[in-house]
Amino acid sequence: MARKRGFRLLKIAGILLGLALVGLVVAKLVEEARGKNAWDAYLSEQQAQGNKILWNDFIPPEVPNEENVTTYPGLDLKALNALDPAAWPNQRADSPPQPGWKFAQPYSLLEDFEHGAASSEEDAAQQLIDHFAQHNNLLDTLRSATKRSSCRFDLNYANPQLMDLPLQEIQHAFRTLNTLALAHLRLEQPAEAHANILSAIRLIKHLDSTPSLIVAIVQTSQMDSTLQAVWAGLRDHLWTAPQLQSIAEHLEAWHPSTRLITSLQQDRAAMFTIMDHQSQTSQHVLFRGWAYQNMVSFGKLLDRYVFAPSGKRSDSLDYERTL
């Protein structure tokens, strides 16, 4: 009797376990279908509005070598590490931030030097120019390369993290071009300063093709430094009319607000790609449909507070709502 009762209980337990497993499988199928449907609907809605949302939409097209900045003959991007500010002469390790052109303040090259290492702004400027003389071939090549029409780095763009992007080297190049421009202006050499400023602006514009919010932040920061040199030439009345016109034309060719919006969309697409990959490959994700629902929630959050607050078009940015 007890044996039959135990067998019956075991049978019931088996049935209940089977039903639980069936229920779990059904729930998994339902949740995955629900999540995928939500994602497909969100994707269709965004594409109908003309918004790019997939990472592949932002991968830059192939560029002919003769048009590409990065394949300019003799230009080795890794060689730009030689321009590292850490190797500049007598630079202070604790150089203080300076107010800059937005506060109508000139940039002091002397403040960046160790105490007593330079006797005046002009001396500091000359020391910097003399130091960079050893890199003239590299800098001339860089300046010539920026005149090309396109830019595409040799990267694995299938990976949205863009692992091998030479961002540090590019920042060294920017810092050098902008500092050289300031140094030449300090010594009343506007032609040399003008060439460096145009090269910096062109390089900033070329980086628009790189799908990354971090790159966009670097572009904005470096443009601020470039504008410091532009302002310095204006303050001291060093620019000729043709020089001013060419600077203005180059500045008008870059649209920082558009670049910022695009870079945020690019990072959203990158995040979607990473989240989707993790949900497909991770052994710890039980309901992959939930991952799709998280992607939709993340996208709608950005839509509401960044891309199109209060029903505005997604090519505008409400700064007050994002601060």
Side-chain angles (χ1 to χ4, degrees), residues 154-196:
D154 184 17
L155 303 174
N156 175 20
Y157 285 98
N159 182 351
Q161 294 176 318
L162 304 180
M163 299 298 294
D164 295 324
L165 180 67
L167 191 57
Q168 177 176 272
E169 292 86 342
I170 293 169
Q171 289 179 284
H172 293 338
F174 275 129
R175 180 81 181 273
T176 299
L177 291 170
N178 290 328
T179 301
L180 267 174
L182 288 169
H184 283 298
L185 288 171
R186 178 59 65 180
L187 298 180
E188 298 187 0
Q189 299 168 349
E192 292 84 349
H194 178 257
N196 285 303

Side-chain angles (χ1 to χ4, degrees), residues 29-271:
L29 293 174
V30 169
E31 284 301 312
E32 290 195 356
R34 194 162 72 95
K36 188 64 167 60
N37 290 338
W39 169 249
D40 289 342
Y42 177 72
L43 183 61
S44 297
E45 175 188 340
Q46 290 293 312
Q47 292 175 333
Q49 295 175 8
N51 296 328
K52 294 181 179 179
I53 195 168
L54 297 177
W55 175 248
N56 286 342
D57 295 332
F58 294 105
I59 294 178
E62 296 288 343
V63 175
N65 283 345
E66 63 272 16
E67 299 175 11
N68 192 355
V69 171
T70 68
T71 56
Y72 189 87
L75 179 62
D76 179 5
L77 295 177
K78 292 297 182 183
L80 296 175
N81 275 319
L83 305 176
D84 188 347
W88 295 5
N90 304 311
Q91 297 292 292
R92 289 177 56 181
D94 60 341
S95 183
Q98 301 188 39
W101 66 273
K102 295 177 184 176
F103 297 90
Q105 295 295 317
Y107 189 91
S108 171
L109 298 172
L110 185 60
E111 284 192 27
D112 289 338
F113 275 69
E114 294 285 356
H115 180 69
S119 59
S120 65
E121 290 289 335
E122 290 74 17
D123 181 28
Q126 190 62 60
Q127 285 192 43
L128 288 167
I129 292 173
D130 291 344
H131 168 75
F132 289 119
Q134 63 185 306
H135 304 300
N136 277 344
N137 288 338
L138 174 61
L139 289 168
D140 286 343
T141 301
L142 175 64
R143 283 187 281 258
S144 296
T146 63
K147 296 178 182 179
R148 287 193 161 185
S149 60
S150 304
C151 179
R152 191 183 198 273
F153 293 96
D154 184 17
L155 303 174
N156 175 20
Y157 285 98
N159 182 351
Q161 294 176 318
L162 304 180
M163 299 298 294
D164 295 324
L165 180 67
L167 191 57
Q168 177 176 272
E169 292 86 342
I170 293 169
Q171 289 179 284
H172 293 338
F174 275 129
R175 180 81 181 273
T176 299
L177 291 170
N178 290 328
T179 301
L180 267 174
L182 288 169
H184 283 298
L185 288 171
R186 178 59 65 180
L187 298 180
E188 298 187 0
Q189 299 168 349
E192 292 84 349
H194 178 257
N196 285 303
I197 286 173
L198 293 192
S199 296
I201 298 174
R202 285 193 292 259
L203 187 54
I204 289 170
K205 181 68 174 68
H206 279 309
L207 290 180
D208 280 356
S209 64
T210 306
S212 167
L213 176 58
I214 293 176
V215 171
I217 293 171
V218 169
Q219 289 173 270
T220 304
S221 171
Q222 296 304 328
M223 179 61 84
D224 188 70
S225 298
T226 302
L227 290 176
Q228 182 69 44
V230 174
W231 178 85
L234 288 169
R235 185 199 63 163
D236 295 334
H237 306 285
L238 295 174
W239 302 127
T240 64
Q243 287 171 343
L244 273 178
Q245 182 177 355
S246 63
I247 290 172
E249 290 172 353
H250 278 73
L251 288 174
E252 289 172 359
W254 190 59
H255 307 284
S257 295
T258 301
R259 172 55 173 151
L260 177 59
I261 285 292
T262 301
S263 67
L264 289 169
Q265 292 172 332
Q266 290 164 346
D267 260 36
R268 175 179 65 174
M271 183 61 68

